[in-house]
Amino acid sequence: MRTIRLLAPAVCLVLAATACTDAPEPGVAAPDSPTTTAAASSAAGSAPDGGSTQVSAKEVCAYLDGQLPTLKGIGSETGVMANLTVNLYSWYEKQGPVPTGRQIDDQTRQECPATRTEVLKLAGMESFERL
């Protein structure tokens, strides 16, 4: 249990550092790449212009339902939050654009409010915007 508490912040720090290394230098855009602003928002995990995601609410809920046994077994809010952050981001990245926390909240409120509530409670969060 103590190992998870020590490991969770380290995992979050590594994930944050990795995301930062892929971002272009401010004010510099490569000739054949999107503008710096678009690249920065993409690196931050936001959805493409228009705010839509390619993953349906039903798919998100099915994924979260499948993760519940693992999350319940972790035993600490910090560990659950770290696991959820890394695994949910990785899952979304394989599906296409990574939505914002607000978009995940909206989808899960409509499609699977009970699962949403349980996942957030296990992670000690009120919203996916905290991820």
Side-chain angles (χ1 to χ4, degrees):
M1 176 99 151
R2 185 170 184 201
T3 303
I4 291 174
R5 286 186 182 163
L6 296 174
L7 183 60
V11 169
C12 290
L13 181 62
V14 169
L15 183 63
T18 303
C20 291
T21 59
D22 293 334
E25 288 185 41
V28 177
D32 294 318
S33 69
T35 63
T36 302
T37 304
S41 68
S42 176
S46 66
D49 291 338
S52 64
T53 63
Q54 293 183 359
V55 179
S56 73
K58 187 171 270 193
E59 291 173 305
V60 175
C61 291
Y63 174 78
L64 291 173
D65 280 332
Q67 291 298 301
L68 275 173
T70 301
L71 298 176
K72 288 177 183 177
I74 292 174
S76 78
E77 290 178 350
T78 305
V80 171
M81 186 188 294
N83 181 288
L84 190 60
T85 300
V86 173
N87 290 337
L88 188 60
Y89 180 83
S90 297
W91 180 77
Y92 268 118
E93 199 172 41
K94 291 175 188 171
Q95 310 299 318
V98 178
T100 64
R102 178 170 288 189
Q103 291 170 320
I104 299 170
D105 280 330
D106 291 345
Q107 286 185 313
T108 56
R109 270 191 198 108
Q110 292 174 2
E111 184 69 29
C112 55
T115 299
R116 175 186 183 276
T117 299
E118 190 169 2
V119 167
L120 292 175
K121 183 177 179 180
L122 289 168
M125 302 184 316
E126 295 178 13
S127 166
F128 284 103
E129 289 187 72
R130 241 183 113 198
L131 291 181

